[in-house]
Amino acid sequence: MDEGSIMMRKESQNGSKGRCSESETNDKQPVKATVLQKDVGLLSGICLIVGTMIGSGIFISPKAVLLFSGAVGPCLLIWAFCGVLATLGALCYAELGTMITKSGGEYSYLMEAFGPIVAYLYSWTTIMVLKPSSFAIITLSFAEYASSPFYPGCTPPLVVTKCLSAAAIILIVSVNCLSVKLASYVQNIFTLAKLLIILVIIVAGIVMLAKGNTENLSNAFVGTSSSFGAIGLAFYNGLWAYDGWNLPLAILIGIPLVSVCYVLVNVAYFTVMTASELLLSPAVALTFGDRVLYPVSWIVPLFVVFSTFGSANGSCFTAGRLAYVSGREGHMVKILSYISLKRYSPAPALMFNGFLALIYIIPADINTLINYFSFAQWVFYGLTALGLIVMRFTRKELHRPVKVPIVIPGLIVLVSFYLVLAPIIDKPEMEYLYCAVFIFSGLLLYYPFVYRKVNWACKLMRPITMHLQLLMEVVPPDKTE
């Protein structure tokens, strides 16, 4: 690919995409269309949903859900309701995904429903903070479990954890850049592995129930929290474990499977731990393994490593697509919308997400940052469901192979409204204001660089884009999806 052909690509202010020059295409016979690879079948779709949802959440969230709900009974009910809510939300996404077949998930849906400003704010918040930070936290969890067997009785050194996390990020990004099919194979293998350990815990819990270990399940509603905000936070932590349900592939198989697994795993925990013991446990699954699976309790941290690695892989897969679509629509730098000439994967978008994740593993603790930014995710979940309702009236001409009753997205909007406001009303803190300021600060970049497309910015980015394109061997897609 010569430099001249790259310079001739259209970089006009209206965001039109360039095409490869004739001399460039003549060098390669036969020519394959440069479009995003979509080698994701039914099994891979189920594994992507299940693998993205079942990460570290089921091994971490039970403590927070129990703490905020106040008792075993409401804790189990909240896990079940979270599964129902995730299923209803996923059905809304199924209609949106079959109606709007572009890549990008919520970004594309918000673009169609509300226009570019709302879609831009979503992409700004998600691409710059939520996705890479979540990627970093999942890989840090992976690193902690992977290194803990080598440091028995003590916490692994921070430098070891961060180096392992960085290595996992680089490996996962590399796999996703090399091939969509390879990433799907990795997802399938690790999803089956994590379902195996979930099955082991569930079966062990059933055995303990059969032996009569039900005392922790009696008087299950004593001490139930009546706090408006605390119940919201309990749902918040439960739904965090279900995060990843917004993928319109194989939803009716993946979501109920995860929901049943989560409820049964929590029941299993309570067969060997009281509520107090569960809250005091540093790692609930490890405590369960030590009490039930000894002397083979070592399989728990091993399979938690598999679980977190698979979840990180799924997170990288979806984050790359979102950054790719944002670049394609002109809401991020154009290089993010380019595709590998050899691998047909959104390599620049994947690398950008991985680069930000590497930055986010540097601080000692980013969980607090994520906790305060996570409520923004439910703002956009609610807006997406509202967009479905809006498009029922404004985009009647769109073909809808799947059409859910309008009461379902209405319910999702109400729940989202509650989840966003309840924690703020119950315990208002300045961090929520900082989060809101960051989200809307994206508008300061939107007007000059996205809406007006100032000339000096285009001139500055053109040589940078050209050199990055040469370095990564990427080109604009041949057609918009």
Side-chain angles (χ1 to χ4, degrees):
M1 184 184 307
D2 60 274
E3 185 171 318
S5 67
I6 296 174
M7 291 296 292
M8 291 181 65
R9 295 187 184 282
K10 295 181 180 179
E11 300 286 345
S12 63
Q13 293 184 3
N14 62 8
S16 61
K17 302 297 184 289
R19 292 291 184 270
C20 298
S21 64
E22 290 183 8
S23 61
E24 188 177 354
T25 56
N26 288 337
D27 292 338
K28 294 177 172 58
Q29 299 285 341
V31 177
K32 181 178 179 180
T34 311
V35 294
L36 199 63
Q37 192 176 354
K38 300 179 180 180
D39 293 331
V40 181
L42 176 62
L43 177 61
S44 296
I46 296 170
C47 290
L48 185 59
I49 291 174
V50 176
T52 303
M53 290 175 65
I54 302 180
S56 57
I58 188 57
F59 308 112
I60 296 174
S61 291
K63 291 174 61 175
V65 176
L66 177 61
L67 176 65
F68 290 116
S69 62
V72 174
C75 173
L76 295 177
L77 286 177
I78 285 172
W79 278 104
F81 287 150
C82 286
V84 172
L85 183 61
T87 302
L88 295 178
L91 288 172
C92 294
Y93 276 74
E95 176 175 336
L96 288 165
T98 54
M99 179 175 63
I100 301 168
T101 57
K102 299 178 181 178
S103 296
E106 291 99 327
Y107 178 88
S108 298
Y109 310 150
L110 292 171
M111 174 71 81
E112 292 288 338
F114 301 113
I117 294 180
V118 176
Y120 170 79
L121 289 177
Y122 171 77
S123 63
W124 162 258
T125 305
T126 305
I127 293 172
M128 299 303 296
V129 177
L130 296 181
K131 286 295 186 181
S133 296
S134 298
F135 191 17
I137 286 180
I138 295 171
T139 54
L140 283 170
S141 301
F142 159 84
E144 289 176 0
Y145 279 101
S147 58
S148 60
F150 301 96
Y151 297 91
C154 63
T155 303
L158 198 58
V159 64
V160 173
T161 302
K162 290 185 177 182
C163 286
L164 279 175
S165 176
I169 290 172
I170 293 171
L171 176 60
I172 291 169
V173 170
S174 299
V175 167
N176 279 268
C177 286
L178 286 174
S179 171
V180 174
K181 188 174 293 185
L182 178 60
S184 296
Y185 288 153
V186 170
Q187 194 69 33
N188 295 353
I189 293 170
F190 281 95
T191 298
L192 294 175
K194 71 178 65 179
L195 286 177
L196 178 61
I197 190 59
I198 293 291
L199 180 62
V200 168
I201 293 175
I202 291 173
V203 171
I206 293 173
V207 171
M208 298 305 292
L209 284 174
K211 290 182 178 180
N213 293 350
T214 59
E215 59 271 14
N216 295 329
L217 299 174
S218 59
N219 300 319
F221 289 88
V222 175
T224 300
S225 174
S226 58
S227 170
F228 176 81
I231 296 297
L233 289 172
F235 270 99
Y236 211 70
N237 283 272
L239 288 165
W240 177 76
Y242 282 94
D243 194 33
W245 49 262
N246 53 333
L247 297 170
L249 292 172
I251 285 170
L252 293 179
I253 301 175
I255 305 294
L257 176 61
V258 173
S259 304
V260 171
C261 288
Y262 278 7
V263 173
L264 292 179
V265 165
N266 277 272
V267 171
Y269 288 156
F270 287 118
T271 62
V272 295
M273 285 179 279
T274 64
S276 299
E277 289 173 333
L278 190 144
L279 290 174
L280 293 174
S281 172
V284 180
L286 294 182
T287 302
F288 179 86
D290 289 338
R291 295 189 179 185
V292 179
L293 302 177
Y294 187 83
V296 292
S297 56
W298 55 267
I299 68 172
V300 174
L302 175 64
F303 280 91
V304 170
V305 166
F306 292 158
S307 179
T308 50
F309 190 88
S311 181
N313 182 73
S315 175
C316 178
F317 184 96
T318 55
R321 267 64 188 168
L322 176 61
Y324 159 80
V325 173
S326 298
R328 186 188 66 191
E329 297 294 336
H331 287 180
M332 290 289 168
V333 290
K334 183 167 292 195
I335 189 67
L336 295 182
S337 69
Y338 286 12
I339 296 172
S340 171
L341 189 61
K342 296 179 180 178
R343 306 294 181 180
Y344 303 98
S345 62
L350 291 165
M351 292 179 187
F352 181 70
N353 180 59
F355 174 74
L356 290 179
L358 288 172
I359 293 176
Y360 289 143
I361 65 173
I362 295 175
D365 180 21
I366 60 173
N367 288 277
T368 302
L369 176 67
I370 287 298
N371 286 339
Y372 288 115
F373 271 89
S374 292
F375 93 97
Q377 185 68 70
W378 275 95
V379 171
F380 291 110
Y381 280 157
L383 284 173
T384 304
L386 180 61
L388 176 59
I389 298 174
V390 169
M391 285 189 286
R392 287 284 182 89
F393 301 96
T394 62
R395 302 297 301 275
K396 295 180 179 180
E397 78 281 1
L398 292 176
H399 177 57
R400 293 171 170 83
V402 176
K403 190 172 183 180
V404 299
I406 199 168
V407 68
I408 293 180
L411 179 62
I412 298 298
V413 171
L414 292 176
V415 171
S416 301
F417 189 75
Y418 166 74
L419 289 173
V420 170
L421 292 182
I424 299 176
I425 294 173
D426 186 66
K427 191 179 180 182
E429 296 182 1
M430 288 298 294
E431 284 81 357
Y432 292 113
L433 178 62
Y434 299 152
C435 176
V437 169
F438 175 83
I439 293 172
F440 288 104
S441 67
L443 293 176
L444 298 177
L445 298 175
Y446 176 82
Y447 182 75
F449 299 115
V450 179
Y451 182 75
R452 293 298 301 271
K453 300 187 189 298
V454 292
N455 288 330
W456 65 265
C458 295
K459 292 179 180 178
L460 175 65
M461 287 304 302
R462 187 173 290 114
I464 296 174
T465 300
M466 180 191 71
H467 286 94
L468 288 175
Q469 187 178 357
L470 285 168
L471 178 64
M472 293 185 286
E473 295 185 336
V474 293
V475 295
D478 282 343
K479 62 179 181 179
T480 300
E481 296 150 279

